[in-house]
Amino acid sequence: VQLQASGGGLVQAGGSLRLSCAASGRSFNTYAMGWFRQAPGKEREFVGSISRSGSSTYYKDSVKGRFTISRDSAKNTVYLQMNDLKPEDTAVYYCAAGNFGSTLSSGYTYWGQGTLVTVSS
């Protein structure tokens, strides 16, 4: 599976962005998908994940109620809708695919290249 993340950019605090992660291959539905982020000088951290069917999602506490993950099997794409963005959300965001949903990077096999989100105060 090859993953291509897009949709990052510069936004003011309180604004919104939607990230997309397009997957190649016909096995998209067999993978749980995750979003991670890495801020400058910090380690990569889990943001959220969605199950293979899309029926279950899980989020990092600090983004609950603000971020929403969804997936469109027809388009082989997973989305991260980010609302009420804060400066501390500034990071490179990565999508990942794995056999099981996990909060750990090691739980994912395939990774996208990352897309930069910058939130100004």
Side-chain angles (χ1 to χ4, degrees), residues 27-93:
S27 57
F28 176 70
N29 291 343
T30 67
Y31 293 102
M33 301 296 294
W35 284 96
F36 289 75
R37 67 186 182 187
Q38 187 166 19
K42 295 186 177 181
E43 294 186 352
R44 188 175 299 186
E45 64 175 5
F46 172 80
V47 174
S49 63
I50 188 166
S51 62
R52 300 171 188 175
S53 66
S55 62
S56 177
T57 54
Y58 185 77
Y59 300 95
K60 172 183 174 65
D61 283 347
S62 63
V63 307
K64 284 181 182 177
R66 300 189 297 123
F67 290 11
T68 303
I69 298 175
S70 61
R71 65 191 298 163
D72 185 335
S73 296
K75 296 182 178 180
N76 279 8
T77 301
V78 63
Y79 303 98
L80 178 65
Q81 177 67 44
M82 305 185 293
N83 298 328
D84 190 22
L85 283 160
K86 306 176 185 300
E88 53 264 40
D89 294 319
T90 295
V92 176
Y93 283 72

